[in-house]
Amino acid sequence: MMSKEGFTHLRDYIYEKTGIYFTENKTYLLESRLSNRLNELNLSTYEDYYLYLKFGGEQSKKELNNLFEVVTTNETSFFRNPPQLDAFKVIVQKNYLNGTPTVNPIKIWSAACSTGEEPYTLAIILLELMETTKKNIPFIIYATDISQKVLETAKRGVFGPYSIRNMDGNILKRYFSEDNGSFKLSENVKRYVRFEFMNLMDTEAYKKYRGMDFIFCRNVLIYFDEKAKKKVIDLMYESLKPGGFLTIGHAESLHNISRAFKPLMFPGSIAYQRGK
Ligand SMILES: C[S@@+](CC[C@H](N)C(=O)[O-])C[C@H]1O[C@@H](n2cnc3c(N)ncnc32)[C@H](O)[C@@H]1O
């Protein structure tokens, strides 16, 4: 059983490191997610685990990655929430294809990319757009996450049926090869995406992600409290170039979080634009 003290210490520690906030009614969830860590480290109480993380020196730095893995939720899939992706396509067409030809690559950041389905989807959309418009669209996608494990899977680029369940059959055929029930993504898509570790709570780390045309930060802020959400959104504002676009999760809102962005309405979705 997790003591009240153990819960409070671990909850505050996890929050400080990741922005993820476990409310008291999630005690059981946290307990079950961490129990394997205790077993593996031969620790008998959750308080011991907290002390190990806090004062364990080099060892605890390594343990931090295991902690990130167990406290995060990595649910994702290709072509998740189509209305947001349609809006992305419309913005690219209007702002980058119909205007003066793009010289610099469009810089896109998929922050909290999990196993890669989101950034790869964006790459496929742009490749399809190039095909239909017969125009070249130079672009680069940065894809980051706090979990090393999901980043490894993302880089491999091999997916199960669950990940591709919403994908159009023709797209699947064009960009994947099937092997024994697994779907291997083509190198021609993979080469556009650069995967890197990045913790959204690490203010310094944002310096690497500047001048973005688009940021996708979907389905991660729901796990943060208001203070952490505000911090991330303020930093992302700075990471966008003037006139750049932010997309957050379909069920998420910037209400009470930021007034800095201009909301743009699309059928079934909203994109947030930084002032020009
Ligand atoms: C539910 S997935 C969302 C994946 C994708 N954006 C989507 O909408 O399908 C949330 C991801 O956020 C990551 N995450 C959680 N806290 C984070 C943090 N502080 N910094 C970076 N990534 C974080 C998790 O590891 C997880 O892969």
Side-chain angles (χ1 to χ4, degrees):
M1 262 284 283
M2 195 184 248
S3 68
K4 203 169 164 51
E5 192 185 31
F7 172 75
T8 312
H9 279 153
L10 281 167
R11 177 199 61 196
D12 292 349
Y13 185 81
I14 292 164
Y15 174 66
E16 182 200 320
K17 295 289 175 193
T18 68
I20 300 170
Y21 191 75
F22 285 87
T23 47
E24 224 149 288
N25 59 1
K26 299 257 170 65
T27 310
Y28 178 71
L29 178 71
L30 189 60
E31 193 176 327
S32 68
R33 286 191 176 191
L34 293 179
S35 65
N36 270 350
R37 299 310 315 140
L38 264 70
N39 288 343
E40 221 160 280
L41 296 166
N42 251 328
L43 296 170
S44 46
T45 70
Y46 288 91
E47 184 65 11
D48 288 346
Y49 184 57
Y50 163 71
L51 294 171
Y52 182 87
L53 284 165
K54 187 126 176 121
F55 304 109
E58 277 308 306
Q59 297 280 28
S60 67
K61 273 196 201 142
K62 270 200 210 142
E63 181 53 26
L64 208 50
N65 281 330
N66 293 322
L67 179 70
F68 292 160
E69 246 114 71
V70 294
V71 299
T72 51
T73 304
N74 310 116
E75 166 80 23
T76 187
S77 57
F78 279 93
F79 289 85
R80 184 176 194 177
N81 200 270
Q84 293 188 320
L85 304 173
D86 290 341
F88 169 65
K89 217 159 94 179
V90 169
I91 295 172
V92 171
Q93 274 173 312
K94 190 165 163 244
N95 293 268
Y96 297 88
L97 286 178
N98 296 347
T100 38
T102 331
V103 183
N104 297 323
I106 303 178
K107 285 170 79 177
I108 302 164
W109 179 18
S110 165
C113 65
S114 188
T115 35
E117 287 86 333
E118 177 178 275
Y120 286 142
T121 296
L122 299 173
I124 291 173
I125 289 172
L126 292 178
L127 289 169
E128 286 289 292
L129 208 52
M130 283 199 237
E131 183 66 30
T132 50
T133 61
K134 303 284 174 228
K135 284 187 180 171
N136 183 35
I137 311 171
F139 71 94
I140 174 158
I141 303 179
Y142 301 89
T144 61
D145 203 279
I146 198 176
S147 159
Q148 297 283 9
K149 201 166 155 192
V150 295
L151 290 170
E152 288 314 311
T153 306
K155 283 182 206 161
R156 227 175 296 129
V158 180
F159 299 91
Y162 185 76
S163 284
I164 53 108
R165 68 191 185 282
N166 294 325
M167 198 149 35
D168 173 86
N170 287 327
I171 299 227
L172 188 62
K173 262 192 225 141
R174 261 206 292 286
Y175 297 100
F176 292 80
S177 51
E178 193 181 348
D179 180 23
N180 252 334
S182 291
F183 299 86
K184 189 169 183 279
L185 186 62
S186 126
E187 285 302 322
N188 187 37
V189 181
K190 284 173 75 179
R191 69 194 175 94
Y192 286 98
V193 186
R194 188 180 296 178
F195 289 100
E196 286 164 353
F197 172 90
M198 192 269 183
N199 181 350
L200 291 170
M201 292 311 281
D202 181 358
T203 307
E204 283 296 300
Y206 284 77
K207 287 191 181 144
K208 262 185 95 175
Y209 305 95
R210 281 291 160 92
M212 294 293 155
D213 293 270
F214 291 91
I215 299 178
F216 279 76
C217 181
R218 299 193 299 168
N219 306 307
V220 58
L221 297 178
I222 28 165
Y223 303 104
F224 291 12
D225 78 339
E226 205 167 291
K227 187 163 164 241
K229 277 185 201 170
K230 277 199 174 114
K231 171 176 167 165
V232 170
I233 293 297
D234 285 351
L235 287 162
M236 288 195 164
Y237 185 88
E238 295 302 323
S239 282
L240 281 170
K241 73 176 198 192
F245 303 88
L246 169 71
T247 301
I248 56 173
H250 171 65
E252 295 161 348
S253 144
L254 289 191
H255 185 68
N256 283 342
I257 303 296
S258 171
R259 289 162 162 269
F261 292 88
K262 182 177 163 203
L264 304 176
M265 301 310 205
F266 290 89
S269 79
I270 303 174
Y272 294 93
Q273 187 174 27
R274 177 179 164 160
K276 288 183 187 161

